Amino acid sequence: MVEDKIMVANMIAQDGLKANDFDVPPCHLSALYTCLERVQKMAKTMNASIHAPRIGAGLGKADWRIIEKMIEIQLCEHDIDVTIYDFK
């Protein structure tokens, strides 16, 4: 708990900063999906909203359209309010 009613969830789904020899991005989408599933369960329990940057799409080099769909499935479809921030 950072302060009253604010909690940080660390999701670890990235291995390094560069694609591997097979041009696979460092963000592992299956791991990210599992992280989102766990965050969803915690958010439902706490009646919380989610605020995050475009996770996995920056240094993780994953396709944001895929990650956005995962967020819709794991969070939005479970009636969790989500705000995604674009940092320049």
Side-chain angles (χ1 to χ4, degrees):
M1 187 85 56
V2 175
E3 60 182 62
D4 191 34
K5 297 187 180 187
I6 296 178
M7 183 178 286
V8 174
N10 290 312
M11 301 188 303
I12 301 172
Q14 185 170 317
D15 184 14
L17 298 174
K18 296 180 183 178
N20 67 17
D21 293 339
F22 304 103
D23 205 30
V24 175
C27 179
H28 298 272
L29 294 176
S30 61
L32 181 57
Y33 192 84
T34 300
C35 288
L36 290 170
E37 183 177 40
R38 291 178 181 172
V39 166
Q40 175 252 117
K41 290 176 182 176
M42 183 63 73
K44 286 298 269 187
T45 300
M46 300 175 68
N47 194 30
S49 60
I50 305 296
H51 298 261
R54 287 188 180 216
I55 52 175
L59 295 174
K61 296 179 179 47
D63 185 336
W64 173 250
R65 294 169 296 181
I66 294 170
I67 296 170
E68 182 178 36
K69 186 64 178 171
M70 290 171 29
I71 290 169
E72 288 173 9
I73 291 167
Q74 281 297 351
L75 302 175
C76 299
E77 290 181 8
H78 291 271
D79 298 321
I80 296 170
D81 290 329
V82 177
T83 302
I84 301 296
Y85 298 94
D86 261 331
F87 296 109
K88 305 230 185 272

